[in-house]
Amino acid sequence: MANSITRFLKNRKYTQGDRYPRKPLDSFLEYLRFTKVEPYIPIGARLLDIGTGDGNFLRYLNGHLHTAIGIDSHLTQTVKFGTYQLIPGYFPYNLVTDETFDVITMLATVEHIPMNVLPSVADACWKYLKPSGQVIITVQHPRVEKLLDFLKVVRIVEGFSIHEHYGFNPECLPDIFNQWNLIKWERWGFGCNNLFIFEKPL
């Protein structure tokens, strides 16, 4: 953990967006997610980032990707930088493209999506993902929600949109993404987070 903090302070390689307010701990937790997922993103990939916020993950990957689209319901306008584009709206309803992607990411996102909507999200991921492409998901353990609520009360984290959390149980994801091959499921961050990687069969 000390090494992660040192790298965060000395070697951040991206410029943060300004749509979401952040406190230092928010930025650090975000950075940990980014560094956890980055090794699984192929260089030159076409990526779709669902729940992209203000595009920080795409900014972090600047130069790593061929092209990328990020979609988020809190955005109010389309934003372009380089070969990346952020669009406002809800996935999949407001994504209008014929493009297919090598990787789809949802980082700290599924816990904000109502359970009755998640099957539609999984079906749309199937539609937009190339064969042998992957969906990469990070999702917190439900017990973390109370801790985040406390940290927000004492103003250690900003906790933007934390009110959308509803106690999502990540163990249901393999049932929701049941058409896919689950190639990785890992608990990390002292058991507070989960990493799922689902692969679309050829």
Side-chain angles (χ1 to χ4, degrees), residues 78 106 168:
T78 298
M106 288 184 275
F168 176 77

Side-chain angles (χ1 to χ4, degrees), residues 124-186:
C125 287
W126 185 276
K127 170 186 173 183
Y128 285 111
L129 200 65
K130 296 177 180 178
S132 77
Q134 295 180 348
V135 174
I136 301 175
I137 297 171
T138 68
V139 55
Q140 66 188 21
H141 190 281
R143 69 174 177 231
V144 176
E145 292 189 8
K146 291 183 179 179
L147 174 59
L148 290 176
D149 287 338
F150 170 75
L151 292 176
K152 183 172 183 177
V153 168
V154 297
R155 300 186 178 183
I156 294 176
V157 300
E158 187 68 36
F160 187 85
S161 73
I162 197 173
H163 61 282
E164 296 174 354
H165 292 179
Y166 58 91
F168 176 77
N169 181 3
E171 295 186 5
C172 72
L173 281 173
D175 292 329
I176 294 171
F177 285 82
N178 55 20
Q179 300 182 79
W180 310 70
N181 296 326
L182 175 59
I183 63 172
K184 190 175 187 66
W185 179 0
E186 177 187 345

Side-chain angles (χ1 to χ4, degrees), residues 35-59:
T35 57
K36 183 68 176 178
V37 170
E38 180 184 14
Y40 303 101
I41 309 291
I43 293 175
R46 288 174 166 82
L47 184 139
L48 172 63
D49 188 33
I50 300 169
T52 195
D54 47 10
N56 263 12
F57 185 49
L58 303 187
R59 290 183 172 89

Side-chain angles (χ1 to χ4, degrees), residues 4-137:
S4 295
I5 294 172
T6 300
R7 293 200 315 270
F8 171 70
L9 293 175
K10 292 185 176 180
N11 197 36
R12 285 195 299 171
K13 63 178 183 179
Y14 65 99
T15 301
Q16 292 191 352
D18 58 6
R19 171 66 179 140
Y20 287 179
R22 293 172 177 84
K23 294 186 183 295
L25 184 56
D26 293 298
S27 295
F28 178 62
L29 295 175
E30 183 179 67
Y31 174 80
L32 290 181
R33 288 194 295 271
F34 296 172
T35 57
K36 183 68 176 178
V37 170
E38 180 184 14
Y40 303 101
I41 309 291
I43 293 175
R46 288 174 166 82
L47 184 139
L48 172 63
D49 188 33
I50 300 169
T52 195
D54 47 10
N56 263 12
F57 185 49
L58 303 187
R59 290 183 172 89
Y60 174 84
L61 291 174
N62 188 30
H64 187 102
L65 303 172
H66 182 274
T67 56
I69 293 176
I71 183 169
D72 195 280
S73 62
H74 296 97
L75 292 169
T76 57
Q77 62 184 3
T78 298
V79 178
K80 294 183 179 180
F81 51 98
T83 60
Y84 304 165
Q85 179 178 2
L86 309 180
I87 59 175
Y90 291 89
F91 179 84
Y93 312 110
N94 301 116
L95 180 64
V96 181
T97 180
D98 295 325
E99 185 175 0
T100 54
F101 300 89
D102 302 299
V103 182
I104 296 175
T105 51
M106 288 184 275
L107 310 187
T109 296
V110 294
E111 59 265 48
H112 298 265
I113 302 174
M115 279 294 299
N116 64 326
V117 176
L118 275 172
S120 297
V121 169
D123 289 343
C125 287
W126 185 276
K127 170 186 173 183
Y128 285 111
L129 200 65
K130 296 177 180 178
S132 77
Q134 295 180 348
V135 174
I136 301 175
I137 297 171

